[in-house]
Amino acid sequence: FMRNIPLNAARKLGKATRSYRLFPLFYILVLYFGVPAILIGISTLFEEDTKAYTALGIFLVLFIALGMIYFAYWWKYKDGEAQTQQCLATRQKRSAAIENLPSDMEYLKSEFARLKAHTGLADEEVQEEAEEDDVEEEA
């Protein structure tokens, strides 16, 4: 039972990394810089000798604890995990589409030119000039 906890955590981190490339960077920044900074900040509030800083520290601890409880509830019972995976997958697809846009546009232009040559359609500009010449000849 106990050995499955780190294995499952590693699998989930791997899936998150696969669906969103910047996830490891955010993970490292939050876990190794953000969380320790918050904890050090709260501990300094309790080390001050004033009642105001102690009260502020108590409120911050309660706020963070309630936030963590709500996050766990949202993740487990409100389908937060699936929503997060869906959001990360959507962002990754959008990023890939933007990255591939220039090559896709070149492909579409070449296909359009090929189809235009195959069907014998004239360019709109050439066709408009021919129509203008016809109107000038009639006048």
Side-chain angles (χ1 to χ4, degrees):
F1 166 74
M2 290 299 288
R3 74 178 207 170
N4 286 334
I5 293 173
L7 292 175
N8 288 335
R11 285 184 191 107
K12 289 185 184 210
L13 287 173
K15 286 180 183 178
T17 301
R18 186 177 61 218
S19 65
Y20 190 57
R21 291 185 338 202
L22 293 177
F23 179 78
L25 178 67
F26 291 132
Y27 180 79
I28 290 170
L29 289 176
V30 168
L31 246 53
Y32 292 103
F33 295 106
V35 172
I38 290 170
L39 294 177
I40 289 171
I42 290 174
S43 70
T44 57
L45 289 175
F46 286 112
E47 289 176 359
E48 296 294 324
D49 289 335
T50 62
K51 292 181 182 179
Y53 283 130
T54 304
L56 180 61
I58 290 170
F59 281 119
L60 285 176
V61 168
L62 289 175
F63 181 73
I64 291 172
L66 289 175
M68 291 172 62
I69 290 169
Y70 178 75
F71 177 76
Y73 174 76
W74 175 78
W75 188 264
K76 182 90 172 159
Y77 298 110
K78 294 278 191 171
D79 206 23
E81 183 178 8
Q83 290 177 8
T84 304
Q85 288 292 332
Q86 180 68 27
C87 177
L88 293 176
T90 302
R91 288 178 65 103
Q92 192 68 24
K93 285 179 186 177
R94 187 180 310 134
S95 174
I98 290 172
E99 190 175 299
N100 294 331
L101 188 60
S103 62
D104 290 345
M105 287 302 293
E106 290 301 320
Y107 172 73
L108 288 174
K109 286 179 183 178
S110 67
E111 277 297 305
F112 183 71
R114 185 185 67 80
L115 288 173
K116 192 163 47 170
H118 176 71
T119 58
L121 292 176
D123 285 337
E124 289 181 18
E125 295 173 358
V126 174
Q127 203 171 22
E128 288 175 3
E129 289 176 8
E131 289 174 3
E132 289 175 4
D133 291 341
D134 291 341
V135 170
E136 289 175 2
E137 290 175 5
E138 290 177 5

